[in-house]
């Protein structure tokens, strides 16, 4: 698998980095910059945008991400995905000020275009 194989948009389901492991869903869009580095954009629960940049090697994707919280503070973290196939990513993530006893989790499934006949 190469880096171009994983670009596109994925539907995600995840669990937060806390004791309650609250579930969320959304989308993750992966694209490439001019140097073939990953650009990631998440839309969580329809209203929270997160962005990040990263790299890909040996079917492992690592993304440093950040977002503005409801309190207008910037939160940062890292997400690590095992690319099981070009259509399925499985990962975990942690924020700098998240609960250190837990990791967040995500599963990503490629959204494929459905031909209109």
């Amino acid at each position: 698998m190469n880096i171009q194989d994983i670009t596109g948009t994925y539907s995600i389901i995840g669990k937060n980095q806390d004791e309650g492991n609250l579930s969320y869903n959304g989308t993750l869009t992966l694209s490439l910059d001019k140097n073939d580095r990953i650009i990631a954009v998440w839309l969580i629960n329809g209203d929270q945008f997160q962005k990040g940049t990263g790299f890909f090697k040996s079917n492992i994707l690592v993304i440093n991400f950040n977002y503005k919280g409801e309190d207008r503070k910037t939160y940062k973290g890292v997400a690590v995905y095992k690319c099981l196939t070009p259509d399925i990513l499985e990962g975990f993530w942690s924020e700098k000020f998240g609960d250190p006893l837990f990791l967040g989790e995500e599963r990503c499934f490629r959204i494929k275009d459905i031909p209109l006949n």
Side-chain angles (χ1 to χ4, degrees):
M1 195 175 336
N2 64 49
I3 196 167
Q4 290 81 11
D5 293 335
I6 63 169
T7 60
T9 301
Y10 296 80
S11 175
I12 59 172
I13 54 173
K15 292 184 180 182
N16 282 323
Q17 180 188 356
D18 56 27
E19 186 173 8
N21 278 134
L22 294 176
S23 296
Y24 61 87
N25 60 47
T27 59
L28 167 62
T29 301
L30 301 176
S31 59
L32 300 175
D33 70 10
K34 66 182 181 180
N35 297 312
D36 279 345
R37 299 276 300 214
I38 290 287
I39 299 171
V41 177
W42 290 264
L43 177 59
I44 305 297
N45 290 335
D47 63 355
Q48 183 185 75
F49 283 98
Q50 299 184 9
K51 61 184 178 180
T53 58
F55 50 91
F56 177 80
K57 183 172 173 134
S58 301
N59 295 342
I60 301 294
L61 174 62
V62 178
I63 303 170
N64 293 301
F65 67 89
N66 66 78
Y67 66 95
K68 292 257 188 220
E70 291 177 5
D71 57 6
R72 306 299 299 152
K73 292 181 183 176
T74 299
Y75 292 87
K76 298 178 180 181
V78 64
V80 178
Y81 297 95
K82 183 174 13 175
C83 301
L84 303 176
T85 73
D87 297 332
I88 301 173
L89 313 179
E90 183 177 79
F92 59 92
W93 56 269
S94 180
E95 289 183 10
K96 182 175 182 179
F97 297 110
D99 188 332
L101 299 176
F102 301 93
L103 289 172
E105 299 177 13
E106 275 187 6
R107 289 191 54 99
C108 310
F109 305 91
R110 184 182 299 275
I111 298 172
K112 295 187 179 188
D113 293 330
I114 301 171
L116 300 173
N117 293 5

